Amino acid sequence: TEITLEEAQQQLASKPLLLDVREPQEFEVAHIPGARNIPRGMLEFAMTQDEGLADRQRAIVLYCKTSGRAALSAEALTKLGYLQVRSIAGGFDAWLAAGLPTDKPKPLSFE
């Protein structure tokens, strides 16, 4: 199920598991605050191996760059038995275009 940016913001207020399924290099440039990066290619493995991710009832919100990888990830998680999986329509590109907040890594400081 895809949700709009407005619906995503509402759901994020309740602290779901927010997953960025882009590649680590993409995540490091910028991401939605509070997101955890699990690339699409590692998703099923990570979700079944990490005990902290085992709750099939927990709300999950996914995103990628434009929503293709997130849609595939949502389908995979649903097949694994996760019951509350949503992906953000338009992905991170839509989030950026709407001027919504992002986190960016801070450069190292030697001072």
Side-chain angles (χ1 to χ4, degrees):
T1 301
E2 279 195 326
I3 56 175
T4 66
L5 292 174
E6 294 78 21
E7 292 169 323
Q9 288 178 289
Q10 290 170 355
Q11 288 204 0
L12 293 179
S14 65
K15 305 289 186 207
L17 176 59
L18 177 61
L19 294 180
D20 182 326
V21 295
R22 299 176 301 158
E23 294 300 312
Q25 319 72 291
E26 296 172 284
F27 183 80
E28 290 171 8
V29 172
H31 54 271
I32 297 174
R36 178 172 176 176
N37 182 226
I38 302 177
R40 169 64 193 108
M42 296 297 295
L43 185 64
E44 291 90 341
F45 177 77
M47 296 299 284
T48 57
Q49 298 301 310
D50 185 332
E51 289 182 26
L53 302 174
D55 181 1
R56 302 292 200 269
Q57 299 290 332
R58 185 173 184 189
I60 300 173
V61 175
L62 304 161
Y63 71 92
C64 63
K65 181 173 172 37
T66 58
S67 70
R69 287 175 280 182
L72 293 172
S73 297
E75 180 180 17
L77 291 180
T78 300
K79 287 180 180 176
L80 287 174
Y82 291 88
L83 302 174
Q84 298 185 60
V85 182
R86 306 287 182 266
S87 65
I88 299 175
F92 191 65
D93 284 356
W95 188 272
L96 282 177
L100 296 171
T102 62
D103 275 348
K104 297 180 183 182
K106 294 179 177 46
L108 292 176
S109 172
F110 295 101
E111 296 178 11

XYZ file of all heavy atoms in Angstrom:
853
model
N 0.843 -1.177 0.000
C 0.000 0.000 0.000
C 0.883 1.234 0.000
O 1.768 1.361 0.839
C -0.905 0.008 1.253
O -1.696 -1.171 1.259
C -1.788 1.235 1.277
N 0.632 2.131 -0.930
C 1.350 3.398 -0.952
C 0.558 4.442 -0.177
O -0.669 4.455 -0.216
C 1.551 3.894 -2.389
C 2.697 3.248 -3.090
C 3.098 3.996 -4.347
O 2.238 4.571 -5.031
O 4.302 3.983 -4.643
N 1.296 5.292 0.505
C 0.672 6.393 1.237
C 1.237 7.713 0.723
O 2.364 7.770 0.224
C 0.883 6.260 2.758
C 2.370 6.159 3.124
C 0.110 5.058 3.305
C 2.657 6.149 4.616
N 0.465 8.764 0.853
C 0.899 10.089 0.429
C 1.924 10.645 1.417
O 2.100 10.113 2.521
C -0.296 11.055 0.365
O -0.790 11.245 1.700
C -1.402 10.527 -0.545
N 2.551 11.733 1.034
C 3.489 12.387 1.944
C 2.797 12.828 3.227
O 3.353 12.700 4.315
C 4.131 13.603 1.259
C 5.081 13.302 0.108
C 5.518 14.598 -0.558
C 6.284 12.513 0.592
N 1.580 13.322 3.097
C 0.828 13.761 4.267
C 0.532 12.581 5.199
O 0.693 12.675 6.420
C -0.480 14.446 3.855
C -0.281 15.755 3.113
C 0.119 15.586 1.639
O -0.117 14.504 1.035
O 0.696 16.542 1.088
N 0.108 11.469 4.622
C -0.148 10.268 5.422
C 1.140 9.757 6.062
O 1.138 9.313 7.209
C -0.781 9.175 4.561
C -2.187 9.498 4.100
C -2.694 8.538 3.034
O -1.898 8.113 2.157
O -3.892 8.223 3.085
N 2.246 9.846 5.319
C 3.538 9.413 5.859
C 3.922 10.253 7.069
O 4.335 9.712 8.102
C 4.614 9.497 4.782
N 3.753 11.555 6.971
C 4.083 12.423 8.097
C 3.222 12.081 9.318
O 3.727 12.051 10.438
C 3.900 13.883 7.711
C 4.971 14.359 6.751
C 4.736 15.796 6.351
O 3.811 16.111 5.626
N 5.589 16.664 6.857
N 1.961 11.809 9.097
C 1.079 11.429 10.203
C 1.547 10.123 10.830
O 1.612 9.988 12.048
C -0.364 11.299 9.716
C -1.006 12.611 9.346
C -2.347 12.432 8.652
O -2.771 11.311 8.354
N -3.017 13.541 8.384
N 1.865 9.134 9.987
C 2.314 7.845 10.519
C 3.654 7.957 11.230
O 3.890 7.271 12.226
C 2.381 6.800 9.402
C 1.009 6.371 8.955
C 1.016 4.997 8.316
O 2.034 4.340 8.199
N -0.160 4.568 7.904
N 4.546 8.813 10.734
C 5.856 8.958 11.358
C 5.755 9.521 12.769
O 6.610 9.253 13.612
C 6.776 9.831 10.496
C 7.181 9.211 9.155
C 8.062 10.167 8.369
C 7.858 7.870 9.335
N 4.695 10.248 13.050
C 4.488 10.785 14.400
C 4.312 9.667 15.425
O 4.629 9.839 16.597
C 3.283 11.718 14.409
N 3.832 8.494 14.976
C 3.640 7.372 15.902
C 4.856 6.437 15.960
O 4.776 5.353 16.513
C 2.375 6.592 15.530
O 2.536 5.999 14.255
N 5.963 6.858 15.378
C 7.244 6.136 15.442
C 7.201 4.711 14.886
O 7.574 3.751 15.555
C 7.786 6.103 16.872
C 7.938 7.463 17.505
C 9.067 8.214 16.895
C 9.277 9.525 17.667
N 9.846 10.550 16.871
N 6.781 4.551 13.621
C 6.869 3.223 13.015
C 8.340 2.902 12.725
O 9.213 3.763 12.887
C 6.101 3.396 11.708
C 6.391 4.818 11.330
C 6.393 5.566 12.662
N 8.591 1.711 12.282
C 9.915 1.371 11.778
C 10.015 2.020 10.399
O 9.264 1.670 9.485
C 10.067 -0.153 11.680
C 11.368 -0.662 11.068
C 12.576 -0.179 11.856
C 11.337 -2.181 11.002
N 10.890 2.996 10.258
C 11.065 3.716 9.001
C 12.293 3.154 8.303
O 13.414 3.274 8.817
C 11.224 5.209 9.272
C 11.489 6.106 8.058
C 10.344 6.031 7.049
C 11.715 7.547 8.516
N 12.078 2.526 7.166
C 13.165 1.876 6.439
C 13.444 2.561 5.116
O 12.551 2.734 4.287
C 12.830 0.410 6.162
C 12.710 -0.507 7.363
C 12.369 -1.921 6.912
C 13.993 -0.508 8.174
N 14.694 2.922 4.929
C 15.192 3.457 3.662
C 15.840 2.275 2.948
O 16.832 1.730 3.420
C 16.216 4.549 3.953
C 16.777 5.214 2.710
O 16.931 4.539 1.674
O 17.082 6.415 2.792
N 15.264 1.854 1.832
C 15.769 0.664 1.141
C 16.700 1.023 -0.020
O 16.992 0.186 -0.867
C 14.618 -0.269 0.686
C 13.880 -0.828 1.887
C 13.657 0.426 -0.274
N 17.188 2.266 -0.017
C 18.181 2.662 -1.019
C 19.546 2.099 -0.629
O 19.730 1.539 0.447
C 18.258 4.193 -1.120
C 16.953 4.843 -1.533
C 17.037 6.355 -1.530
N 17.383 6.831 -0.187
C 17.937 8.023 0.064
N 18.215 8.858 -0.919
N 18.209 8.376 1.310
N 20.503 2.271 -1.505
C 21.871 1.824 -1.233
C 22.526 2.736 -0.195
O 22.136 3.906 -0.061
C 22.689 1.805 -2.524
C 22.206 0.759 -3.526
C 22.284 -0.658 -2.968
O 23.335 -1.027 -2.404
O 21.290 -1.395 -3.102
N 23.509 2.231 0.555
C 24.150 3.037 1.593
C 24.688 4.380 1.098
O 24.593 5.383 1.805
C 25.282 2.139 2.097
C 24.783 0.758 1.839
C 24.007 0.858 0.539
N 25.235 4.417 -0.121
C 25.757 5.675 -0.652
C 24.650 6.715 -0.790
O 24.865 7.900 -0.570
C 26.404 5.539 -2.020
C 27.259 4.410 -2.374
C 26.636 3.073 -2.578
O 26.152 2.444 -1.645
N 26.667 2.570 -3.798
N 23.457 6.280 -1.182
C 22.321 7.188 -1.307
C 21.885 7.676 0.075
O 21.597 8.862 0.269
C 21.144 6.486 -1.983
C 21.399 6.069 -3.421
C 20.263 5.217 -3.964
O 20.186 4.020 -3.610
O 19.439 5.765 -4.732
N 21.813 6.760 1.008
C 21.407 7.079 2.379
C 22.351 8.098 3.010
O 21.919 9.011 3.714
C 21.378 5.792 3.209
C 20.915 5.960 4.624
C 19.560 6.038 4.923
C 21.829 6.026 5.668
C 19.118 6.177 6.245
C 21.401 6.164 6.990
C 20.042 6.237 7.271
N 23.651 7.945 2.764
C 24.647 8.826 3.364
C 24.552 10.254 2.860
O 24.913 11.184 3.576
C 26.053 8.264 3.129
C 26.317 7.013 3.935
C 27.616 6.314 3.576
O 28.418 6.882 2.799
O 27.826 5.207 4.078
N 24.049 10.451 1.649
C 23.897 11.806 1.114
C 22.821 12.549 1.891
O 23.014 13.685 2.324
C 23.581 11.779 -0.391
C 23.223 13.162 -0.908
C 24.759 11.200 -1.170
N 21.681 11.918 2.088
C 20.571 12.494 2.869
C 19.497 11.427 3.017
O 19.367 10.539 2.166
C 19.995 13.725 2.188
N 18.727 11.529 4.092
C 17.649 10.580 4.346
C 16.602 11.219 5.245
O 16.838 12.288 5.818
C 18.189 9.283 4.961
C 19.018 9.509 6.180
N 20.376 9.719 6.128
C 18.691 9.583 7.485
C 20.848 9.911 7.345
N 19.836 9.835 8.201
N 15.472 10.571 5.371
C 14.414 11.058 6.248
C 14.853 10.838 7.694
O 15.351 9.750 8.030
C 13.080 10.336 5.951
C 12.612 10.641 4.522
C 12.009 10.743 6.969
C 11.378 9.849 4.082
N 14.711 11.857 8.552
C 15.125 11.700 9.948
C 14.492 10.466 10.605
O 13.305 10.199 10.450
C 14.615 12.983 10.617
C 14.579 13.982 9.501
C 14.166 13.189 8.279
N 15.326 9.706 11.297
C 14.864 8.515 12.004
C 14.878 7.242 11.174
O 14.562 6.165 11.679
N 15.252 7.349 9.907
C 15.245 6.172 9.029
C 16.411 5.243 9.342
O 17.487 5.675 9.740
C 15.311 6.594 7.568
N 16.154 3.981 9.130
C 17.187 2.950 9.224
C 17.438 2.463 7.806
O 16.505 2.196 7.062
C 16.693 1.803 10.100
C 17.694 0.681 10.204
C 17.260 -0.329 11.225
N 18.201 -1.438 11.211
C 18.143 -2.453 12.040
N 17.208 -2.510 12.969
N 19.008 -3.445 11.968
N 18.692 2.345 7.421
C 19.032 1.929 6.064
C 19.224 0.417 5.992
O 20.105 -0.144 6.644
C 20.304 2.642 5.621
C 20.722 2.313 4.203
O 21.876 2.042 3.944
N 19.805 2.353 3.275
N 18.347 -0.231 5.229
C 18.511 -1.640 4.880
C 18.274 -1.716 3.379
O 17.142 -1.612 2.926
C 17.532 -2.566 5.628
C 17.679 -2.430 7.141
C 17.764 -4.017 5.195
C 16.695 -3.275 7.947
N 19.342 -1.849 2.583
C 19.174 -1.881 1.127
C 18.220 -2.986 0.676
O 18.141 -4.042 1.315
C 20.586 -2.140 0.609
C 21.491 -1.720 1.718
C 20.730 -1.985 2.979
N 17.530 -2.741 -0.416
C 16.546 -3.686 -0.945
C 17.134 -5.097 -1.067
O 16.490 -6.083 -0.726
C 16.019 -3.194 -2.305
C 15.195 -4.193 -3.072
C 13.905 -4.551 -2.333
N 13.287 -5.711 -2.933
C 13.270 -6.923 -2.363
N 13.835 -7.143 -1.209
N 12.666 -7.924 -2.959
N 18.348 -5.210 -1.525
C 18.961 -6.516 -1.731
C 19.233 -7.293 -0.461
O 19.454 -8.508 -0.512
N 19.212 -6.630 0.680
C 19.486 -7.283 1.961
C 18.258 -7.357 2.863
O 18.332 -7.867 3.977
C 20.593 -6.517 2.700
C 21.933 -6.527 2.000
S 22.615 -8.187 1.843
C 22.874 -8.620 3.545
N 17.130 -6.858 2.398
C 15.969 -6.671 3.262
C 15.459 -7.958 3.900
O 15.326 -8.037 5.120
C 14.845 -5.983 2.485
C 13.621 -5.620 3.309
C 13.971 -4.582 4.363
C 12.526 -5.100 2.398
N 15.165 -8.964 3.098
C 14.612 -10.198 3.663
C 15.576 -10.825 4.654
O 15.170 -11.287 5.717
C 14.263 -11.203 2.559
C 13.101 -10.800 1.690
C 13.493 -9.978 0.473
O 14.601 -9.403 0.456
O 12.689 -9.893 -0.454
N 16.853 -10.834 4.317
C 17.855 -11.383 5.216
C 17.877 -10.608 6.529
O 17.814 -11.202 7.613
C 19.240 -11.359 4.558
C 20.335 -11.843 5.465
C 20.505 -13.197 5.695
C 21.178 -10.945 6.094
C 21.506 -13.656 6.545
C 22.181 -11.385 6.942
C 22.347 -12.747 7.172
N 17.950 -9.280 6.451
C 18.015 -8.456 7.660
C 16.773 -8.623 8.527
O 16.867 -8.735 9.752
C 18.202 -6.983 7.289
N 15.618 -8.651 7.910
C 14.368 -8.725 8.667
C 14.208 -10.073 9.360
O 13.563 -10.157 10.396
C 13.173 -8.447 7.762
C 13.149 -7.042 7.177
S 13.064 -5.710 8.391
C 11.346 -5.798 8.868
N 14.777 -11.124 8.807
C 14.632 -12.443 9.421
C 15.784 -12.773 10.373
O 15.661 -13.707 11.165
C 14.520 -13.551 8.350
O 15.678 -13.507 7.508
C 13.269 -13.370 7.517
N 16.883 -12.024 10.311
C 18.034 -12.323 11.161
C 18.153 -11.414 12.378
O 18.783 -11.783 13.354
C 19.325 -12.239 10.341
C 19.394 -13.239 9.210
C 19.298 -14.670 9.704
O 20.001 -15.076 10.609
N 18.419 -15.452 9.106
N 17.564 -10.233 12.318
C 17.666 -9.261 13.409
C 16.458 -9.418 14.324
O 15.332 -9.118 13.930
C 17.730 -7.853 12.827
C 17.967 -6.771 13.866
O 17.568 -6.961 15.044
O 18.534 -5.740 13.502
N 16.684 -9.873 15.558
C 15.577 -10.102 16.490
C 14.773 -8.836 16.764
O 13.582 -8.898 17.044
C 16.103 -10.687 17.800
C 16.570 -12.118 17.656
C 17.054 -12.694 18.975
O 16.595 -12.214 20.035
O 17.876 -13.616 18.929
N 15.401 -7.681 16.660
C 14.718 -6.423 16.888
C 13.704 -6.085 15.805
O 12.900 -5.171 15.968
N 13.739 -6.814 14.709
C 12.831 -6.568 13.586
C 11.787 -7.672 13.443
O 11.058 -7.704 12.457
C 13.630 -6.443 12.284
C 14.695 -5.350 12.274
C 15.513 -5.426 10.987
C 14.082 -3.978 12.455
N 11.692 -8.545 14.410
C 10.836 -9.727 14.295
C 9.352 -9.465 14.501
O 8.528 -10.292 14.107
C 11.299 -10.792 15.285
N 8.972 -8.333 15.087
C 7.567 -8.054 15.391
C 6.776 -7.833 14.102
O 6.879 -6.789 13.466
C 7.462 -6.825 16.295
C 6.036 -6.487 16.687
O 5.099 -7.206 16.278
O 5.857 -5.482 17.399
N 5.969 -8.820 13.724
C 5.191 -8.757 12.481
C 4.007 -7.789 12.568
O 3.394 -7.458 11.579
C 4.675 -10.150 12.090
C 5.756 -11.224 11.905
C 6.610 -10.925 10.688
N 7.336 -12.046 10.153
C 8.563 -12.407 10.493
N 9.196 -11.786 11.447
N 9.178 -13.399 9.891
N 3.681 -7.332 13.795
C 2.570 -6.396 14.000
C 3.014 -4.934 13.919
O 2.182 -4.046 13.794
C 1.931 -6.633 15.378
C 1.354 -8.008 15.563
C 0.104 -8.227 14.725
O -0.619 -7.305 14.416
N -0.136 -9.472 14.358
N 4.315 -4.680 14.017
C 4.830 -3.314 14.039
C 4.568 -2.611 12.718
O 4.743 -3.179 11.643
C 6.328 -3.338 14.321
C 6.931 -1.970 14.476
C 8.351 -2.064 14.926
N 8.885 -0.728 15.150
C 10.155 -0.489 15.377
N 11.016 -1.496 15.444
N 10.581 0.734 15.565
N 4.173 -1.354 12.793
C 3.979 -0.550 11.585
C 5.338 -0.284 10.940
O 6.308 0.043 11.621
C 3.287 0.755 11.929
N 5.383 -0.441 9.622
C 6.608 -0.218 8.853
C 6.285 0.741 7.718
O 5.316 0.549 6.982
C 7.155 -1.535 8.266
C 7.488 -2.520 9.390
C 8.381 -1.270 7.386
C 7.871 -3.911 8.902
N 7.122 1.763 7.573
C 7.017 2.694 6.452
C 8.322 2.599 5.679
O 9.404 2.724 6.257
C 6.754 4.142 6.920
C 6.767 5.104 5.737
C 5.430 4.230 7.676
N 8.218 2.366 4.380
C 9.373 2.190 3.502
C 9.469 3.327 2.505
O 8.449 3.885 2.097
C 9.227 0.911 2.681
C 9.017 -0.403 3.397
C 8.434 -1.420 2.446
C 10.329 -0.896 3.939
N 10.701 3.603 2.081
C 10.874 4.504 0.946
C 12.186 4.195 0.241
O 13.091 3.570 0.801
C 10.816 5.979 1.375
C 12.008 6.464 2.155
C 13.089 7.053 1.520
C 12.052 6.338 3.539
C 14.186 7.500 2.242
C 13.135 6.790 4.270
C 14.203 7.374 3.607
O 15.285 7.803 4.320
N 12.255 4.622 -1.012
C 13.474 4.548 -1.805
C 13.576 5.874 -2.556
O 13.022 6.878 -2.110
C 13.460 3.341 -2.735
S 12.144 3.383 -3.968
N 14.206 5.900 -3.696
C 14.356 7.152 -4.438
C 13.028 7.625 -5.011
O 12.611 8.749 -4.787
C 15.399 6.992 -5.537
C 15.633 8.254 -6.359
C 16.789 8.078 -7.301
C 16.976 9.210 -8.285
N 16.721 10.542 -7.847
N 12.353 6.752 -5.757
C 11.107 7.176 -6.414
C 9.913 6.299 -6.079
O 8.803 6.644 -6.426
C 11.271 7.205 -7.948
O 11.653 5.908 -8.393
C 12.307 8.233 -8.374
N 10.090 5.172 -5.488
C 9.090 4.258 -4.927
C 9.086 2.864 -5.530
O 8.370 2.005 -5.040
C 7.667 4.854 -4.908
O 7.129 4.987 -6.189
N 9.883 2.595 -6.533
C 9.930 1.259 -7.124
C 10.487 0.199 -6.193
O 9.868 -0.843 -5.964
N 11.668 0.445 -5.639
C 12.272 -0.524 -4.703
C 11.429 -0.656 -3.439
O 11.320 -1.744 -2.870
C 13.698 -0.098 -4.328
C 14.703 -0.295 -5.444
C 16.054 0.257 -5.069
N 16.060 1.702 -5.254
C 17.119 2.490 -5.051
N 18.255 1.970 -4.612
N 17.048 3.783 -5.255
N 10.822 0.441 -3.015
C 9.982 0.390 -1.810
C 8.751 -0.471 -2.057
O 8.331 -1.226 -1.177
C 9.586 1.793 -1.374
N 8.160 -0.373 -3.242
C 6.981 -1.197 -3.553
C 7.357 -2.677 -3.546
O 6.623 -3.507 -2.990
C 6.394 -0.793 -4.905
N 8.497 -3.016 -4.135
C 8.956 -4.412 -4.129
C 9.271 -4.873 -2.704
O 8.976 -6.002 -2.326
C 10.191 -4.567 -5.015
C 9.963 -4.371 -6.512
C 11.305 -4.356 -7.254
C 9.042 -5.431 -7.068
N 9.841 -3.987 -1.916
C 10.159 -4.308 -0.521
C 8.891 -4.531 0.287
O 8.821 -5.457 1.098
C 10.976 -3.172 0.107
O 12.207 -3.022 -0.560
N 7.884 -3.700 0.059
C 6.608 -3.855 0.774
C 5.972 -5.199 0.434
O 5.465 -5.898 1.317
C 5.663 -2.709 0.415
N 6.029 -5.571 -0.814
C 5.479 -6.869 -1.225
C 6.231 -8.014 -0.550
O 5.622 -8.961 -0.037
C 5.557 -7.013 -2.744
C 5.005 -8.318 -3.243
C 5.086 -8.469 -4.756
O 5.836 -7.722 -5.411
O 4.400 -9.354 -5.284
N 7.558 -7.914 -0.518
C 8.371 -8.965 0.107
C 8.068 -9.076 1.600
O 7.930 -10.191 2.129
C 9.852 -8.681 -0.117
N 7.956 -7.942 2.280
C 7.676 -7.978 3.717
C 6.289 -8.531 3.999
O 6.092 -9.262 4.974
C 7.842 -6.591 4.332
C 9.269 -6.061 4.380
C 9.306 -4.674 5.004
C 10.188 -7.009 5.133
N 5.341 -8.206 3.156
C 3.989 -8.754 3.309
C 4.020 -10.273 3.179
O 3.392 -10.984 3.967
C 3.036 -8.123 2.282
O 3.010 -6.696 2.507
C 1.630 -8.666 2.418
N 4.796 -10.776 2.231
C 4.923 -12.228 2.052
C 5.613 -12.881 3.252
O 5.372 -14.052 3.536
C 5.688 -12.550 0.767
C 4.863 -12.286 -0.475
C 5.638 -12.598 -1.732
C 4.794 -12.315 -2.961
N 5.549 -12.529 -4.201
N 6.460 -12.115 3.962
C 7.118 -12.633 5.161
C 6.211 -12.569 6.391
O 6.597 -12.998 7.467
C 8.408 -11.858 5.442
C 9.585 -12.135 4.509
C 10.735 -11.181 4.817
C 10.051 -13.580 4.635
N 5.019 -12.007 6.222
C 4.060 -11.984 7.318
C 3.929 -10.668 8.066
O 3.202 -10.588 9.048
N 4.610 -9.626 7.610
C 4.454 -8.316 8.235
C 3.104 -7.755 7.808
O 2.731 -7.802 6.638
C 5.598 -7.375 7.837
C 6.913 -7.821 8.449
C 7.736 -8.735 7.799
C 7.303 -7.355 9.691
C 8.922 -9.169 8.362
C 8.495 -7.778 10.271
C 9.285 -8.682 9.603
O 10.462 -9.113 10.164
N 2.346 -7.247 8.776
C 0.942 -6.905 8.538
C 0.660 -5.432 8.289
O -0.386 -5.101 7.735
C 0.105 -7.383 9.733
C 0.198 -8.881 10.017
C -0.534 -9.221 11.307
C -0.346 -9.670 8.838
N 1.558 -4.549 8.699
C 1.307 -3.109 8.567
C 2.436 -2.439 7.785
O 3.194 -1.647 8.326
C 1.191 -2.472 9.947
C 0.044 -3.001 10.773
C -0.073 -2.242 12.064
O -0.280 -1.031 12.066
N 0.083 -2.943 13.182
N 2.527 -2.753 6.509
C 3.608 -2.254 5.670
C 3.055 -1.216 4.696
O 2.071 -1.472 4.006
C 4.263 -3.406 4.875
C 5.414 -2.895 4.029
C 4.720 -4.516 5.814
N 3.709 -0.062 4.657
C 3.315 1.017 3.752
C 4.564 1.554 3.080
O 5.644 1.549 3.662
C 2.641 2.170 4.512
C 1.466 1.765 5.386
C 0.242 1.423 4.535
N -0.906 1.088 5.362
C -1.253 -0.141 5.717
N -0.520 -1.167 5.354
N -2.327 -0.367 6.430
N 4.419 2.056 1.857
C 5.531 2.733 1.192
C 5.090 4.145 0.816
O 3.909 4.398 0.563
C 6.008 1.959 -0.039
O 5.012 1.910 -1.023
N 6.049 5.051 0.800
C 5.765 6.453 0.513
C 5.714 6.665 -0.991
O 6.705 6.420 -1.698
C 6.818 7.365 1.159
C 6.818 7.191 2.677
C 6.578 8.823 0.770
C 7.914 7.963 3.406
N 4.573 7.127 -1.489
C 4.395 7.406 -2.918
C 5.392 8.484 -3.347
O 5.524 9.511 -2.695
C 2.969 7.851 -3.195
N 6.114 8.208 -4.413
C 7.080 9.178 -4.928
C 8.438 9.115 -4.271
O 9.388 9.726 -4.734
N 8.536 8.375 -3.155
C 9.807 8.142 -2.494
C 10.511 9.388 -1.990
O 9.900 10.432 -1.740
N 11.822 9.259 -1.848
C 12.628 10.346 -1.294
C 12.631 11.561 -2.212
O 12.689 12.698 -1.731
C 14.059 9.851 -1.038
C 14.885 10.801 -0.223
C 14.559 11.071 1.096
C 15.988 11.436 -0.767
C 15.318 11.947 1.862
C 16.757 12.304 -0.012
C 16.424 12.568 1.302
N 12.540 11.351 -3.514
C 12.477 12.493 -4.436
C 11.263 13.360 -4.139
O 11.359 14.591 -4.119
C 12.446 12.028 -5.892
C 13.805 11.574 -6.408
O 14.815 11.692 -5.663
O 13.861 11.100 -7.554
N 10.115 12.750 -3.895
C 8.904 13.508 -3.567
C 9.073 14.213 -2.219
O 8.641 15.361 -2.050
C 7.685 12.585 -3.545
N 9.683 13.533 -1.261
C 9.936 14.115 0.061
C 10.784 15.387 -0.082
O 10.471 16.432 0.487
C 10.637 13.077 0.933
C 10.813 13.437 2.364
C 11.863 14.125 2.916
C 9.928 13.132 3.452
N 11.688 14.257 4.263
C 10.505 13.657 4.626
C 8.713 12.459 3.541
C 9.916 13.534 5.880
C 8.119 12.332 4.792
C 8.711 12.866 5.944
N 11.866 15.289 -0.871
C 12.735 16.449 -1.096
C 11.990 17.571 -1.814
O 12.105 18.739 -1.432
C 13.947 16.045 -1.934
C 15.079 15.318 -1.240
C 16.149 14.936 -2.248
C 15.671 16.163 -0.130
N 11.253 17.227 -2.861
C 10.526 18.223 -3.645
C 9.519 18.986 -2.789
O 9.246 20.164 -3.039
C 9.827 17.560 -4.834
N 8.977 18.318 -1.777
C 8.012 18.955 -0.883
C 8.701 19.804 0.192
O 8.036 20.466 0.987
C 7.124 17.893 -0.232
N 10.027 19.784 0.227
C 10.765 20.574 1.200
C 10.689 20.044 2.623
O 10.886 20.790 3.581
N 10.430 18.744 2.742
C 10.328 18.131 4.069
C 11.726 17.902 4.650
O 12.710 17.834 3.910
C 9.521 16.841 3.973
C 8.062 17.071 3.553
C 7.371 15.749 3.252
C 7.306 17.835 4.628
N 11.844 17.767 5.973
C 13.171 17.685 6.606
C 13.947 16.426 6.235
O 13.372 15.370 6.018
C 12.857 17.702 8.100
C 11.433 17.323 8.229
C 10.758 17.709 6.940
N 15.263 16.598 6.180
C 16.168 15.482 5.925
C 17.320 15.548 6.914
O 17.605 16.598 7.485
C 16.742 15.518 4.495
O 17.504 16.714 4.319
C 15.638 15.444 3.453
N 17.957 14.411 7.108
C 19.199 14.341 7.873
C 20.322 14.121 6.882
O 20.160 13.369 5.911
C 19.184 13.163 8.847
C 18.521 13.491 10.171
O 18.260 14.685 10.438
O 18.255 12.550 10.936
N 21.433 14.771 7.144
C 22.636 14.578 6.342
C 23.784 14.321 7.299
O 23.842 14.930 8.372
C 22.936 15.823 5.505
C 21.853 16.132 4.492
C 22.185 17.364 3.702
C 21.033 17.656 2.751
N 21.290 18.803 1.919
N 24.687 13.442 6.932
C 25.830 13.201 7.813
C 26.622 14.488 8.019
O 26.751 15.298 7.110
C 26.656 12.160 7.066
C 25.782 11.629 6.011
C 24.734 12.656 5.739
N 27.113 14.664 9.210
C 27.936 15.837 9.504
C 29.397 15.500 9.199
O 29.870 14.416 9.543
C 27.763 16.226 10.968
C 26.348 16.704 11.277
C 26.221 17.045 12.726
C 24.877 17.585 13.092
N 23.727 16.932 12.626
N 30.108 16.434 8.562
C 31.513 16.160 8.288
C 32.304 16.054 9.603
O 31.939 16.655 10.613
C 31.967 17.364 7.468
C 30.917 18.403 7.637
C 29.670 17.715 8.090
N 33.374 15.310 9.558
C 34.233 15.170 10.738
C 34.858 16.521 11.095
O 35.241 17.286 10.214
C 35.347 14.157 10.472
C 34.931 12.716 10.306
C 36.139 11.863 9.948
C 34.277 12.189 11.573
N 34.932 16.773 12.362
C 35.562 17.996 12.830
C 36.775 17.620 13.665
O 36.696 16.751 14.526
C 34.562 18.802 13.674
O 35.233 19.888 14.272
N 37.871 18.268 13.399
C 39.101 17.977 14.149
C 39.421 19.074 15.142
O 40.525 19.191 15.629
C 40.256 17.758 13.175
C 40.065 16.537 12.323
C 39.616 16.655 11.030
C 40.280 15.275 12.842
C 39.409 15.520 10.253
C 40.094 14.151 12.072
C 39.652 14.270 10.770
N 38.433 19.887 15.452
C 38.641 20.988 16.418
C 38.255 20.552 17.813
O 37.464 19.771 18.074
C 37.825 22.190 15.997
C 38.298 22.715 14.670
C 37.449 23.899 14.209
O 36.650 24.430 14.983
O 37.621 24.269 13.057
